[in-house]
Amino acid sequence: KQEVTQIPAALSVPEGENLVLNCSFTDSAIYNLQWFRQDPGKGLTSLLLIQSSQREQTSGRLNASLDKSSGRSTLYIAASQPGDSATYLCAPRGSSGDKLTFGTGTRLAVRP
Amino acid sequence: GAVVSQHPSWVICKSGTSVKIECRSLDFQATTMFWYRQFPKQSLMLMATSNEGSKATYEQGVEKDKFLINHASLTLSTLTVTSAHPEDSSFYICSARDTRRGAKEQYFGPGTRLTVT
């Protein structure tokens, strides 16, 4: 059974800082891994998807890396802004089937 | 592109009644849809997976007779919470994927907050 851990659980930083969110998973047999953003009381917005054969993906100020063999992924946010405040979730997808397993997320607060 | 909507966005119902939640893919055909539940301060837990035209597959511990899922068309799935109780109060989120096109991402709806009084 896949288990996903995200560290830290919560993070508060001043605007402009670069930061790293960590995700670890127990079963390395994954098809891909997605990073999502969730605003309070809202659904999920997909940020980045990394295939199992890829090492990293970039979108704007976001960069996600994947080390499948060690069961780790990181989300790097450059030059953080107050609008980045949200909960960030990682979700690896198993190599068989469609199931995404979610971590409990990192709650990010970026102070102006 | 790849927009998923849910209706209603929130609903309050009395204990013992049934509630139906709709999930629609607006600009693609969702051959596979997923229903998740999220309790406060917790992560999303997959409840069931449904493929258009076939019965849903439920995750362990999810009562299929209580949470009825109908994937009626390539753009619509419904989740009916039957005989709802206060412990069913939660945030329900659906997602969809076009498996026929080999799409890799699941696209998520905005969620429905259910409160059972």
Side-chain angles (χ1 to χ4, degrees):
Chain A
K1 178 186 173 187
Q2 180 74 278
E3 294 183 4
V4 182
T5 303
Q6 290 188 245
I7 294 174
L11 184 62
S12 178
V13 299
E15 182 176 6
E17 276 205 7
N18 301 324
L19 46 98
V20 175
L21 309 182
N22 297 292
C23 170
S24 61
F25 45 96
T26 55
D27 185 353
S28 61
I30 65 170
Y31 182 73
N32 61 34
L33 183 144
Q34 279 184 264
W35 280 93
F36 296 89
R37 167 190 173 133
Q38 185 176 30
D39 292 286
K42 304 292 185 181
L44 275 65
T45 300
S46 180
L47 299 174
L48 289 164
L49 180 148
I50 312 178
Q51 291 298 109
S52 61
S53 57
Q54 296 176 319
R55 298 284 295 184
E56 64 179 74
Q57 277 285 356
T58 298
S59 176
R61 294 182 294 109
L62 304 179
N63 175 276
S65 67
L66 174 64
D67 185 343
K68 180 183 163 184
S69 60
S70 66
R72 293 182 181 181
S73 179
T74 61
L75 179 66
Y76 176 82
I77 302 177
S80 58
Q81 302 171 358
D84 295 331
S85 299
T87 295
Y88 291 80
L89 300 164
C90 76
R93 176 184 160 191
S95 56
S96 59
D98 272 308
K99 184 174 181 178
L100 295 181
T101 303
F102 284 85
T104 50
T106 294
R107 289 193 315 279
L108 172 65
V110 181
R111 307 186 300 271
Chain B
V3 177
V4 176
S5 70
Q6 281 184 242
H7 178 79
S9 56
W10 60 270
V11 57
I12 301 173
C13 71
K14 292 189 176 181
S15 187
T17 61
S18 295
V19 174
K20 180 185 284 188
I21 302 170
E22 292 186 349
C23 176
R24 292 182 185 271
S25 57
L26 299 185
D27 51 3
F28 67 101
Q29 293 184 324
T31 47
T32 304
M33 286 184 164
F34 310 86
W35 287 96
Y36 294 82
R37 181 167 53 183
Q38 185 178 35
F39 292 107
K41 302 275 176 91
Q42 295 185 27
S43 194
L44 281 76
M45 296 297 294
L46 180 66
M47 298 175 66
T49 302
S50 71
N51 293 296
E52 188 267 340
S54 62
K55 291 185 178 180
T57 303
Y58 290 80
E59 294 298 301
Q60 192 172 11
V62 178
E63 300 175 56
K64 63 180 181 180
D65 294 330
K66 181 170 182 62
F67 298 99
L68 302 179
I69 292 172
N70 183 15
H71 195 150
S73 73
L74 286 172
T75 59
L76 173 65
S77 176
T78 60
L79 168 68
T80 301
V81 183
T82 62
S83 187
H85 291 285
E87 57 265 31
D88 298 323
S89 299
S90 187
F91 193 53
Y92 291 86
I93 305 177
C94 72
S95 70
R97 192 164 77 91
D98 185 347
T99 54
R100 292 180 311 176
R101 298 180 115 193
K104 298 179 175 61
E105 286 190 56
Q106 288 185 26
Y107 296 96
F108 283 77
T112 295
R113 181 155 312 277
L114 170 63
T115 302
V116 185
T117 61

